[in-house]
Amino acid sequence: MTLDVIKYAINRITDTRPDLGAPKTEEELKELVGDTIIPEGIGGEKAFRLFRDVLVKATVPIDHPRHLAFVPAAPTRAAIMFDLVTSAASIHGAFWMEGAGGIFCENEAIKWLISLTGMPEGAFGVFTSGGSAANLSAMVTAREQWRKKRDHDNDRGIVLTSSGAHSSIKAMAKVMDVEVLMVATQDLMNADLLRNRLNELDDDKRKKVFAVVATGGTTNAGIVDDLDGIADFCEENDLWFHVDAAYGGGALVADSVRPLFNGIEKADSVTIDPHKWLFSPYDCGAILYKNPAFAKEAHEQEGSYLEIIKDPGAHGFNPADYQIQLTRRLRGLPLWFSLAKHGTDKYKWAVERGISLAQLAGQLIEEHNELELVRPPSLSIVLFRRLGWSDEDYKSWTYRNHKKGIALVTPTFWKNGDSYETVVRFCFINPDTTEEDIKAILDTMA
Ligand SMILES: Cc1ncc(COP(=O)(O)O)c(C=O)c1O
C-alpha cells in the first residue's frame, strides 16, 4: 500500500497533462466501488485501487493546462512535495509552543506577502483555509474596532462593496449578520461611486457603515478597483479599508501590472490566496493586517487549558489569535518551501506568463471571425462571446468539451445594458498552458 501511494503521488506530481476527469452521479460511483466503510475494513490496497482506478477519474485535475474555468490552480511540484511533508510531520499550527519551527517558516512567507503589498512596518498576517475565511476574519476585525470605537454594540453594521466583489463577501456577511450594500458597476469601483452610494443613505444607515471591501482582481473579469482613491475615501470617512485580492494578489509580484494595485499599501487588511495565483496546493489563503493587534482582539480565544500558551515561557506568535480557526494545519509550509527552493523571481516569471497568455488569447479572439472580446483581457482573465450562440449553445459546448476530455472552460454572465448576456471566460494560472492549447479550445467554437 505504501509503495502504491508513493508511486501514485510521484507519478501524479510529474504528470503535467493528466486526463481531464469528469463527474459521475453518486449512484454510478456507488455501483462502481460498493461499500468501502465496513466493520472489518476493505484493506488499504483495495481502497487505494478504488480511488486510483475509479474515483479520481471522476475528478478534474485543477492543474490541467486546459482547465481555464473558475480560478484554476497550478501548485509547484516543490509545494506539493512539501504538502506531503507537512502531513507527515504532524505539527499543530495554532501555537508557537507546539509549532515554532513550522510557524517560523509560515511567517517568512507572510513577510514576503507583506513586502509585495508595501504595507507599513508592523503589518502582519496568517494563513487561512482560503479567501472566504480570510475575508471573514478581516470583516470581523473591522466590526470589532467599529463597535469598540463607536459604542455600536447592538447595531447591525453595513459593509460597502461593488457588484464585482466575490460572492464570499455577501456569504461571510451573512455569517456575521452584517448588511452588504453594493455599488453597481461593470467597471472598477472608485471613490466617486462610493461617495454617491454613501450619500444615498439616511443618517442612521450612514452611521452603521463600518468598512469598504475593494477588490484587487475581480473573479469574473480581473478588474482591479481604484485602490488609491478608495484608500483616501476610507480615511476621510473613518472606514476600514479591506482589499480582497484573493485571486489577483499573486499579480502583485508582476511588474507589468503592479501599478494597478497602487494604494493597496494603505489597506487595513488584505486577502491573498496562495492557492490561486501563487502556486500552492489547497487550501492556502492568507489574511494580512496593517495592525495585527486589532485582529487579535477579535479572534483570541480564552480557556483555562489555553492559558499556558500565553505564558512568557511558551509565548511566541500564535496564528490561532488572528483568524477563526484554533487547531490548524501549517498550510503556509508548502508555499514557504517552494519559495525557498525556486526563489521569488520564478514566481514573477510564472505570474507574468499567465498575464501574457491572457493577452495572447485576446489577440487570437480578435483575429477570429466568429469571436468577439467583451472587454480587453485584465490580469489573466479573458471574457468573449461567440457570435450567434444562445445560452444553451454555451452550456452544451462546455459539457461537450469536458466530456471529450478536451478542456474545462465554463460560461459566465456579463451585464449588457439592463440584461445579462452569457459569455465565455478564460482564467489563466498554469504557466504550462500553451498557445496550441488556446487554439485547440477556440477551434471547438467554429
Ligand atoms: C476575489 C475572490 N475572493 C474570495 C474568493 C473565495 O476564496 P476561497 O474559494 O479560497 O474561499 C475568491 C475565489 O475565487 C475570489 O476570487
Side-chain angles (χ1 to χ4, degrees):
M1 184 199 78
T2 309
L3 278 180
D4 278 350
V5 169
I6 297 295
K7 203 169 121 193
Y8 170 83
I10 291 172
N11 285 340
R12 176 62 186 86
I13 292 167
T14 45
D15 187 359
T16 52
R17 293 206 170 241
D19 288 343
L20 196 67
K24 291 184 186 301
T25 65
E26 162 121 38
E27 293 73 24
E28 285 169 331
L29 291 175
K30 187 73 186 175
E31 178 81 24
L32 287 167
V33 304
D35 285 338
T36 54
I37 312 281
I38 57 173
E40 62 278 22
I42 60 169
E45 281 179 24
K46 180 169 179 200
F48 187 71
R49 261 201 322 275
L50 291 175
F51 178 76
R52 185 192 58 200
D53 299 342
V54 181
L55 297 167
V56 83
K57 293 184 175 161
T59 66
V60 174
I62 39 123
D63 56 336
H64 191 288
R66 292 187 194 173
H67 175 227
L68 307 180
F70 314 112
V71 181
T76 66
R77 286 179 201 164
I80 299 173
M81 290 303 292
F82 218 71
D83 208 38
L84 301 177
V85 172
T86 303
S87 287
S90 278
I91 306 166
H92 196 292
F95 318 124
W96 191 261
M97 185 182 188
E98 289 192 302
I103 296 167
F104 172 86
C105 299
E106 283 199 326
N107 290 354
E108 292 291 293
I110 287 285
K111 283 180 207 162
W112 179 65
L113 294 179
I114 295 273
S115 75
L116 294 182
T117 64
M119 289 167 95
E121 183 78 27
F124 211 65
V126 282
F127 291 101
T128 63
S129 63
S132 305
N135 286 335
L136 176 60
S137 279
M139 290 193 286
V140 166
T141 304
R143 183 177 61 182
E144 188 77 3
Q145 286 307 304
W146 170 70
R147 283 195 164 151
K148 205 174 77 179
K149 270 199 292 202
R150 304 265 172 78
D151 190 21
H152 281 300
D153 262 1
N154 298 315
D155 285 343
R156 185 165 183 246
I158 297 175
V159 166
L160 284 183
T161 192
S162 84
S163 48
H166 186 258
S167 51
S168 61
I169 301 302
K170 261 196 187 165
M172 295 303 105
K174 201 186 266 180
V175 170
M176 296 164 63
D177 190 27
V178 154
E179 189 178 350
V180 176
L181 293 181
M182 296 283 181
V183 169
T185 171
Q186 274 300 85
D187 208 324
L188 51 76
M189 178 168 74
N190 59 24
D192 284 344
L193 289 169
L194 277 165
R195 201 166 291 115
N196 293 343
R197 190 73 182 91
L198 197 65
N199 289 340
E200 283 165 21
L201 307 179
D202 62 34
D203 278 356
D204 182 51
K205 278 217 148 175
R206 258 166 99 145
K207 280 192 217 136
K208 292 179 181 161
V209 177
F210 66 90
V212 170
V213 176
T215 311
T218 60
T219 320
N220 208 29
I223 296 168
V224 182
D225 287 335
D226 173 15
L227 304 180
D228 213 26
I230 295 173
D232 293 344
F233 170 84
C234 288
E235 189 168 352
E236 277 160 33
N237 291 282
D238 195 16
L239 298 172
W240 185 278
F241 174 33
H242 176 62
V243 180
D244 178 3
Y247 150 66
L252 288 167
V253 80
D255 297 337
S256 65
V257 294
R258 180 60 181 83
L260 293 174
F261 292 86
N262 286 350
I264 198 169
E265 70 284 356
K266 299 181 196 161
D268 291 295
S269 51
V270 176
T271 292
I272 299 178
D273 273 2
H275 71 199
K276 291 191 168 66
W277 211 356
L278 288 172
F279 315 104
S280 289
Y282 297 142
D283 6 23
C284 184
I287 179 67
L288 313 176
Y289 303 100
K290 177 155 75 186
N291 188 342
F294 292 163
K296 195 170 176 190
E297 282 175 36
H299 293 93
E300 189 177 28
Q301 299 193 19
E302 304 277 327
S304 46
Y305 35 83
L306 295 178
E307 282 308 298
I308 186 72
I309 63 154
K310 297 172 191 172
D311 187 79
H315 206 53
F317 181 82
N318 296 325
D321 291 344
Y322 302 89
Q323 42 75 52
I324 59 172
Q325 273 184 286
L326 186 65
T327 300
R328 64 183 283 281
R329 176 182 176 77
L330 282 168
R331 49 172 50 91
L333 273 189
L335 175 66
W336 166 76
F337 183 73
S338 182
L339 278 168
K341 176 189 187 296
H342 290 295
T344 54
D345 283 352
K346 197 71 189 276
Y347 278 70
K348 206 184 264 270
W349 167 82
V351 172
E352 291 284 14
R353 166 88 183 147
I355 294 166
S356 308
L357 284 166
Q359 294 297 331
L360 174 64
Q363 280 165 24
L364 294 171
I365 288 160
E366 279 189 317
E367 287 161 14
H368 203 293
N369 286 339
E370 285 149 323
L371 304 177
E372 190 175 77
L373 281 177
V374 169
R375 62 191 309 286
S378 193
L379 299 184
S380 68
I381 295 181
V382 188
L383 294 179
F384 62 104
R385 54 178 72 88
R386 163 63 165 81
L387 301 173
W389 271 14
S390 68
D391 299 354
E392 268 317 305
D393 289 331
Y394 284 103
K395 262 200 246 171
S396 50
W397 169 78
T398 293
Y399 289 135
R400 202 164 50 241
N401 274 354
H402 190 182
K403 211 166 171 181
K404 287 186 182 165
I406 296 173
L408 183 62
V409 181
T410 46
T412 186
F413 296 118
W414 186 251
K415 198 165 179 216
N416 208 342
D418 285 338
S419 59
Y420 285 88
E421 175 195 3
T422 303
V423 299
V424 183
R425 175 178 169 280
F426 284 162
C427 180
F428 294 98
I429 296 285
N430 191 339
D432 289 337
T433 301
T434 61
E435 180 168 352
E436 286 63 44
D437 288 320
I438 302 171
K439 284 182 172 161
I441 296 169
L442 298 182
D443 282 350
T444 64
M445 305 186 85

